[in-house]
Amino acid sequence: MKAAFSKLPLALLFVAACAASTGANAQDAKKALATKLAQMQAKTDGAAMANQLTADAVQLPLSTWSQRLDESVPPARQKDVRDKLDVELKKFADNTHKAIDAQVSKAAEAALVPVFMDKLSEDEMKTIIAYMESPAAVKFQSLSADAGNAWAQKVIDATRPTVEANVKSFDAAASKIVGVPAASPGGGANGKSQAAPAAPASASKK
């Protein structure tokens, strides 16, 4: 009995070491699944995110310099200046998109793996990955652009009267503030007919 008790601490250490090793292996397996899921998420949504972040970045210089052009450049020179600004804006957009696109996959793993590790079980990640790799999921993803555009077009059609009424109200208020006539019905400030809003196209690199 005495000999058995003398061996007990060593046995406990062995059991503890095995448990720790099993736990570490389980965490490694879970992290591998979380990493794979993050990579799949980046592949599915990365391009759209890069395009959206690029568009957001472009908006500030675009609005700033459009306003400065209208305020500072004589009307006779505005077309020439605007064309030159468009060239520079495209360079800015291309360089910005390249920088953002290079970080999308890296950031996906850094940001998403901890979230997936914390919020999803190993079995849940296996289920999600199995679905995302299935032919049904691939087909569903291929329909997303057309389905999204059809949805957006329905919203545009349903809200067109309200939006057009709001535009008329805004034009009337703006006319009083600026002191120039409002645009003619169905036309812009130059009298030319304006195109009706259209559903957004699927995301693509600018």
Side-chain angles (χ1 to χ4, degrees):
M1 181 68 69
K2 184 176 180 181
F5 276 109
S6 67
K7 294 179 180 179
L8 186 58
L10 182 59
L12 288 175
L13 287 174
F14 178 74
V15 171
C18 288
S21 176
T22 301
N25 290 339
Q27 280 297 100
D28 288 345
K30 186 176 181 181
K31 186 173 182 179
L33 288 170
T35 300
K36 182 175 182 178
L37 186 55
Q39 291 170 344
M40 294 174 73
Q41 189 77 33
K43 184 177 180 180
T44 300
D45 298 330
M49 176 179 286
N51 289 337
Q52 182 59 56
L53 292 175
T54 300
D56 291 345
V58 167
Q59 188 58 43
L60 179 59
L62 175 62
S63 59
T64 298
W65 285 100
S66 291
Q67 182 178 353
R68 295 191 67 179
L69 184 149
D70 291 338
E71 293 173 347
S72 306
V73 178
R77 291 189 58 234
Q78 284 191 7
K79 184 181 183 307
D80 180 56
V81 172
R82 195 178 300 277
D83 288 345
K84 291 177 180 178
L85 285 174
D86 284 345
V87 172
E88 294 303 315
L89 188 65
K90 186 178 185 307
K91 291 179 185 177
F92 170 79
D94 289 345
N95 290 336
T96 300
H97 186 278
K98 184 177 180 180
I100 291 173
D101 192 51
Q103 292 299 319
V104 166
S105 294
K106 296 177 185 177
E109 290 191 31
L112 299 180
V113 169
V115 175
F116 295 157
M117 291 282 287
D118 182 50
K119 303 296 184 182
L120 297 173
S121 69
E122 187 171 337
D123 286 342
E124 287 170 335
M125 284 190 278
K126 287 179 179 178
T127 300
I128 294 168
I129 290 170
Y131 168 72
M132 292 178 71
E133 291 179 332
S134 70
V138 173
K139 186 174 183 179
F140 181 71
Q141 286 293 331
S142 71
L143 297 174
S144 61
D146 290 341
N149 286 343
W151 183 9
Q153 189 61 55
K154 285 290 185 182
V155 174
I156 290 170
D157 292 343
T159 59
R160 190 185 304 275
T162 301
V163 172
E164 290 178 348
N166 289 341
V167 169
K168 290 178 181 179
S169 296
F170 175 80
D171 283 347
S175 176
K176 293 178 182 178
I177 293 169
V178 179
V180 297
S184 59
N190 59 6
K192 294 181 180 179
S193 177
Q194 293 178 316
S202 57
S204 60
K205 182 178 176 180
K206 301 286 183 180

